[in-house]
């Protein structure tokens, strides 16, 4: 199963959600697979921070659907977030974990899931997240996304994807700092709030 194909299926279901995603190849793939979600996506967050940041947004904007696009490497950096989700049960957070069994952005060394022993969905269920699933089929992924986006309890979908990048896609043109401001301004505009106001002059 290809991550880019999964992304196009997921993107087709999104309209006004907010998306947090990790470093690596998934950045450029999401940039291309979901052009209508570019301003609503916070790109290039550090390993271990993606789902925690999404959880924070879910708590701060309880009326808004938040989507975390995490990775196997990133989730293994901070498994404690799964226990937090189980305890706090944010009703508006949907988490996808792209599990390609490697740290793709640094050359492909294997993650802990590569040996077929470590099961992120099973860890999530062990923490108390009943709706945690591993999928290897595109249609099943689509069905799990539909269920997760419509649910009022946390859903975690671990998508087993190939460790290859989609060929011929455009590189994202902005850097992390610019991405932050684009995202914050989008939240401000769609929520009618001020997050980062003008600087004060003394």
């Amino acid at each position: 199963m290809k991550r880019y194909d999964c992304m196009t299926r997921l993107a087709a279901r999104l309209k006004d959600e907010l998306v947090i995603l990790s470093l690596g190849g998934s950045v450029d793939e999401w940039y291309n697979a979901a052009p209508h979600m570019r301003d609503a996506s916070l790109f290039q967050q550090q390993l271990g921070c993606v789902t925690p940041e999404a959880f924070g947004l879910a708590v701060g904007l309880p009326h808004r659907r938040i989507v975390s696009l995490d990775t196997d490497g990133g989730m293994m950096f901070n498994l404690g977030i799964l226990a937090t989700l189980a305890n706090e049960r944010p009703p508006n957070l949907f988490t996808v974990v792209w599990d390609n069994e490697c740290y793709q952005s640094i050359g492909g060394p294997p993650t802990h899931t590569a040996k077929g022993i470590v099961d992120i969905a099973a860890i999530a269920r062990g923490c108390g997240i009943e709706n945690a699933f591993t999928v290897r089929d595109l249609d099943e992924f689509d069905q799990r996304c539909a269920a997760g986006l419509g649910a009022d309890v946390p859903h975690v979908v671990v998508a087993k994807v190939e460790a290859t990048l989609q060929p011929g896609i455009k590189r994202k043109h902005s850097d992390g700092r610019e991405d932050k401001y684009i995202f914050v301004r989008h939240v401000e505009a769609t929520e009618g709030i001020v997050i980062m106001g003008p600087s004060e002059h003394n």
Side-chain angles (χ1 to χ4, degrees):
M1 185 167 66
K2 293 184 178 180
R3 181 173 55 199
Y4 189 82
D5 294 339
C6 292
M7 286 181 171
T8 58
R9 292 285 189 100
L10 174 58
R13 296 188 174 278
L14 301 184
K15 184 178 180 180
D16 61 354
E17 294 81 358
L18 298 174
V19 182
I20 311 294
L21 65 153
S22 189
L23 300 165
S26 62
V27 168
D28 291 332
E29 288 187 334
W30 183 249
Y31 184 80
N32 285 268
H36 68 293
M37 296 297 295
R38 287 175 182 170
D39 290 356
S41 298
L42 184 57
F43 294 91
Q44 301 185 122
Q45 301 312 293
Q46 298 296 321
L47 296 183
C49 297
V50 175
T51 300
E53 288 183 19
F55 170 67
L57 268 179
V59 172
L61 299 171
H63 56 282
R64 194 89 177 256
R65 176 67 63 179
I66 310 300
V67 178
S68 171
L69 300 184
D70 217 325
T71 62
D72 52 327
M75 186 60 75
M76 294 303 299
F77 264 65
N78 191 357
L79 287 172
I81 187 58
L82 295 173
T84 300
L85 297 185
N87 278 318
E88 301 300 327
R89 302 182 68 79
N92 55 328
L93 178 59
F94 174 56
T95 301
V96 174
V97 181
W98 306 121
D99 187 357
N100 61 7
E101 301 182 353
C102 71
Y103 293 102
Q104 191 174 42
S105 62
I106 58 171
T111 63
H112 288 307
T113 64
K115 292 184 178 180
I117 299 170
V118 175
D119 184 333
I120 294 173
I123 294 170
R125 290 192 298 271
C127 286
I129 301 173
E130 298 91 346
N131 296 290
F133 311 96
T134 299
V135 299
R136 294 176 170 82
D137 174 80
L138 188 59
D139 288 334
E140 183 184 1
F141 174 80
D142 193 32
Q143 293 167 9
R144 295 296 185 192
C145 286
L149 290 168
D152 59 1
V153 293
H155 273 238
V156 175
V157 174
V158 180
K160 286 287 190 178
V161 293
E162 298 175 10
T164 55
L165 294 174
Q166 180 72 9
I169 60 175
K170 296 179 180 179
R171 296 293 304 274
K172 185 176 67 61
H173 66 278
S174 55
D175 63 15
R177 179 177 295 181
E178 186 177 357
D179 290 336
K180 178 184 73 173
Y181 284 102
I182 291 171
F183 180 78
V184 168
R185 297 310 181 201
H186 174 80
V187 175
E188 289 180 328
T190 56
E191 291 292 326
I193 59 176
V194 175
I195 299 172
M196 295 188 302
S199 60
E200 294 183 2
H201 298 283
N202 294 328

